[in-house]
Amino acid sequence: MAAAVAAGRLGIPLLDPTTVDTAVAALAEAQWGAFQAATPLKRRKSWKKAVPWWTPELSALKVRFRRARKKRRRSAQHEEEFQRERLAFNRAMRTAKRRSWRKFCSGEKQPFGRVYKVLKGRGSNPISTIRGPDGVLISDPEQSVATLLDNFFPDKAAEVSEDATVAAAQESVERQASQFENWCRLSLPDDDDGPFTTFELRREIFQRGGYKAPGPDMIIGRVLKECIDEVEPHLASVTNACRDLGYFPRGWKVEDGVACAKPGKKDYTLMKAYRLLALLCAASKILEGMITSRVSWRAERGSWFHEHAYGFRPDRNKDGAVEELVTRAERAIHRGRVLVAVFFDVDGAFNQSWHPAVLTALQEKGCPPGLFCLISSFLRERQCNLNVNGFSASKLLRLGFPQGGVGPPIYWTTHNNRVAVYVEVGGEALFIGYADDNGFTVEGGPDELGALVELAWLPAYLSP
């Protein structure tokens, strides 16, 4: 840190985005240099994982087999002895494996316990080649990676509808978001939403796991915890400068994408069989976490969300969603009526969310100017680098959030809350949702089943 300060890259007034980006780069370099100096690489001793079926008898047979192999290498007259010892060792090894497996199976009382998991297989499927949008296998690995990245994050900011009314609405939303951001920037720095405090900064650093996979800066959370006293003044200066300027540093908007195979898929040549996770810079998570904490506090205090919107909220987990659904069903049964429930998943909820719609949702909820500008800057001009088996692709993102970030869940919930409000205007369909899974329930008489099904499906088609 001292070298960066002496060089004039840290400890200087942060008055514009350029100086903020310089300080962010210097802070990352200083942390990485200190980490390398404090933890030099050590050669790891070779070791072999023990197996449950190995026995002392196998060890003795292995010694005899290796001794016979050495003799055979010296003279061909020991070929018969070598074949005999090899056969004995292989037979004993197969017998030991068989006995160990039988013992393992006999000790399991549940048919769908560990035995089922072993037989089913738990290994992930590595990406080799995928099918393009036309269904044809792509032979070029580099093109496969680029196609996969384009599938996760389409190039178009938003498809302009052929319907003139919808196209006009899209244009209106874009204009509304832009005009509100311009107004917010005239109000910076936002005095009503004070500077980030030392308590907020330390809380975000210490409440996060210290061994999460690192992002482009290669810094894990444990490093920030260990050097908190040295990092805190510089990190506080940078984050508060970001707040005053309404600017999220460019270096913190670069993410390393990891394509993870979804378990249980039949065909791993399809792009939908993979989920893209974002590995972010450690310091960016701190700023993102402080922004999210303030937005979350305002959201819960101001009742931004529907009471039956579960997930990504304090005390609103999946158990609450299940309990609410069961309560509605039991109430309908008690009344001698039927309950129709329809659930649908929002495809690409995180990867393909339209930024102007998210920002206007925050505006409608009364998001303060400082936080609004920070979130807008956070979403704008993000870069994703995807590397698979040595082949890489990179692109600037115009849609979506980083899946793995701290803030995107609450931004999505704010945007998705419109669905609940829109559906329940008529008062017949009731909303229930968890994360990006939305559902609607309709209660009625047994003779109204057909009409109820149609009524329950209608919100799924009309939801914005």
Side-chain angles (χ1 to χ4, degrees):
M1 297 293 177
V5 173
R9 303 182 67 194
L10 282 178
I12 60 175
L14 305 178
L15 304 177
D16 54 62
T18 302
T19 54
V20 170
D21 287 335
T22 301
V24 166
L27 188 60
E29 291 175 9
Q31 291 177 24
W32 178 241
F35 176 69
Q36 287 183 308
T39 57
L41 292 176
K42 295 182 179 179
R43 179 170 294 181
R44 184 177 180 180
K45 295 182 179 180
S46 60
W47 58 278
K48 294 183 179 179
K49 185 177 179 180
V51 290
W53 46 266
W54 194 263
T55 63
E57 291 77 13
L58 284 176
S59 297
L61 288 172
K62 185 177 181 180
V63 171
R64 293 173 57 181
F65 162 66
R66 288 186 170 181
R67 187 180 296 120
R69 186 173 59 184
K70 289 181 180 179
K71 290 181 180 179
R72 197 274 307 266
R73 289 174 180 173
R74 291 194 296 265
S75 174
Q77 64 181 359
H78 297 288
E79 177 68 26
E80 184 178 349
E81 180 184 359
F82 165 73
Q83 295 293 346
R84 184 175 62 254
E85 295 297 340
R86 185 177 67 171
L87 180 61
F89 175 62
N90 288 337
R91 281 180 176 176
M93 189 163 54
R94 287 195 297 268
T95 301
K97 288 181 179 180
R98 192 181 306 115
R99 288 175 179 173
S100 177
W101 174 246
R102 287 176 179 173
K103 182 179 179 181
F104 174 76
C105 294
S106 61
E108 290 293 323
K109 298 181 180 180
Q110 295 294 335
F112 293 99
R114 291 188 298 167
V115 176
Y116 175 77
K117 292 180 180 178
V118 171
L119 293 175
K120 183 180 179 182
R122 292 168 292 180
S124 60
N125 291 270
I127 302 174
S128 55
T129 184
I130 59 173
R131 298 183 184 274
D134 56 357
V136 179
L137 285 172
I138 302 174
S139 58
D140 184 6
E142 192 167 354
Q143 185 182 354
S144 294
V145 177
T147 303
L148 195 62
L149 186 58
D150 288 337
N151 176 72
F152 287 128
F153 297 106
D155 287 323
K156 294 183 179 180
E159 294 184 1
V160 179
S161 174
E162 297 180 357
D163 189 315
T165 304
V166 176
Q170 289 178 332
E171 183 180 353
S172 175
V173 170
E174 288 182 331
R175 183 170 57 253
Q176 179 182 346
S178 177
Q179 290 176 350
F180 184 71
E181 182 177 356
N182 292 336
W183 176 84
C184 287
R185 293 199 173 277
L186 295 176
S187 305
L188 296 179
D190 186 3
D191 296 331
D192 294 335
D193 197 64
F196 294 119
T197 64
T198 302
F199 172 78
E200 290 178 281
L201 182 64
R202 285 180 171 263
R203 181 186 61 187
E204 290 299 327
I205 291 176
F206 282 103
Q207 76 177 4
R208 309 211 169 277
Y211 298 99
K212 296 289 185 180
D217 60 350
M218 294 303 295
I219 300 296
I220 59 176
R222 178 66 184 276
V223 175
L224 295 179
K225 293 180 180 181
E226 292 295 332
C227 58
I228 180 65
D229 294 331
E230 291 78 12
V231 171
E232 180 189 319
H234 303 290
L235 201 53
S237 175
V238 170
T239 53
N240 277 310
C242 292
R243 169 199 164 273
D244 294 341
L245 298 171
Y247 176 72
F248 205 93
R250 186 178 299 275
W252 288 353
K253 293 194 289 185
V254 179
E255 60 191 64
D256 288 340
V258 178
C260 300
K262 298 178 181 178
K265 297 296 182 180
K266 295 182 179 179
D267 188 359
Y268 284 93
T269 63
L270 301 178
M271 290 185 285
K272 287 191 174 182
Y274 299 92
R275 176 183 292 107
L276 186 69
L277 300 181
L279 303 181
L280 308 171
C281 295
S284 72
K285 295 180 183 179
I286 305 305
L287 176 56
E288 192 181 344
M290 291 192 293
I291 297 171
T292 304
S293 295
R294 292 193 174 191
V295 173
S296 178
W297 179 83
R298 289 179 177 273
E300 297 299 332
R301 185 169 176 265
S303 301
W304 286 13
F305 308 135
H306 191 280
E307 61 175 332
H308 296 310
Y310 298 88
F312 309 139
R313 298 177 60 190
D315 302 322
R316 297 278 179 171
N317 53 25
K318 61 180 182 297
D319 296 333
V322 173
E323 183 179 355
E324 172 61 23
L325 183 61
V326 171
T327 299
R328 294 183 188 181
E330 290 178 343
R331 183 168 57 239
I333 294 173
H334 180 72
R335 296 173 179 175
R337 297 162 68 84
V338 296
L339 184 78
V340 176
V342 174
F343 300 92
F344 67 95
D345 176 74
V346 181
D347 186 26
F350 276 69
N351 294 344
Q352 301 183 30
S353 289
W354 188 37
H355 295 164
V358 176
L359 294 174
T360 52
L362 290 169
Q363 174 197 354
E364 292 166 0
K365 295 299 182 181
C367 184
L371 293 177
F372 184 91
C373 291
L374 271 173
I375 295 171
S376 177
S377 179
F378 167 79
L379 296 176
R380 187 183 298 115
E381 295 180 348
R382 298 193 63 86
Q383 179 180 334
C384 180
N385 302 320
L386 179 61
N387 188 296
V388 179
N389 299 331
F391 299 95
S392 60
S394 178
K395 70 180 302 182
L396 289 176
L397 309 182
R398 300 182 181 180
L399 291 174
F401 321 116
Q403 191 161 345
V406 184
I410 195 170
Y411 307 152
W412 162 255
T413 305
T414 306
H415 174 44
N416 189 56
N417 191 68
R418 291 167 164 165
V419 176
V421 175
Y422 182 83
V423 167
E424 292 194 348
V425 169
E428 296 186 65
L430 298 179
F431 174 82
I432 184 171
Y434 181 81
D436 58 346
D437 297 312
N438 292 331
F440 310 99
T441 62
V442 182
E443 183 181 331
D447 55 339
E448 303 172 338
L449 186 59
L452 291 175
V453 171
E454 183 178 352
L455 185 61
W457 268 109
L458 187 60
Y461 287 111
L462 298 181
S463 298

